[in-house]
Structure formats: structure tokens, C-alpha cells
Amino acid sequence: MSNQITLQVNGEPRSCPSQTLLPDLLEQLGFNPRLVAVEYNGEILHRQYWQQTKVQEGDRLEIVTIVGGG
């Protein structure tokens, strides 16, 4: 039996193990957690809540990379 869940990341279906914490998911997807902003189910999720946020089946995430410079 698989413990995988499916969620939307930037409009694409992705799977990950259930109970995955948001920072772990970001790293699995190849993002540097220090350089992204996350919209979680339509709301900007403040960084202070990332460590306690476990992604759930059907969640929608928009991950935006912060680019420095001008």
C-alpha cells in the first residue's frame, strides 16, 4: 500500500509521501527554501509556519523563486 499523496505544484500534479513537511517538499522538488515564497491553497504562507505545515492530498502550492538584482 502506497503512502503517497498527490498535490498541485505550480499547476502540475506532483506526488510525495504523506506527512511531508513543506520545507522537505521544497528540497525534494529542488527549491532552495531560503529563496522562495509559497502560496498555499490560495494564501501566502509565512515562513514561520513552514516547519509545522504538512502537505495534504489535493493541496495547491504556487512556489515563486525570489530573484535578486535589478
Side-chain angles (χ1 to χ4, degrees):
M1 181 171 117
S2 169
N3 251 357
Q4 295 282 310
I5 60 169
T6 301
L7 53 152
Q8 293 280 322
V9 177
N10 294 347
E12 300 287 327
R14 297 293 185 108
S15 19
C16 69
S18 64
Q19 305 296 309
T20 298
L21 289 168
L22 180 59
D24 296 334
L25 176 68
L26 293 173
E27 289 190 15
Q28 288 170 24
L29 295 173
F31 291 102
N32 180 337
R34 292 189 308 274
L35 300 177
V36 297
V38 176
E39 184 183 282
Y40 183 75
N41 293 329
E43 305 267 335
I44 296 294
L45 186 64
H46 291 282
R47 198 171 295 270
Q48 69 196 54
Y49 301 115
W50 288 12
Q51 278 300 338
Q52 61 207 43
T53 301
K54 289 181 185 162
V55 294
Q56 308 288 321
E57 176 74 36
D59 278 350
R60 295 180 336 275
L61 284 83
E62 292 294 327
I63 302 170
V64 179
T65 303
I66 299 166
V67 178

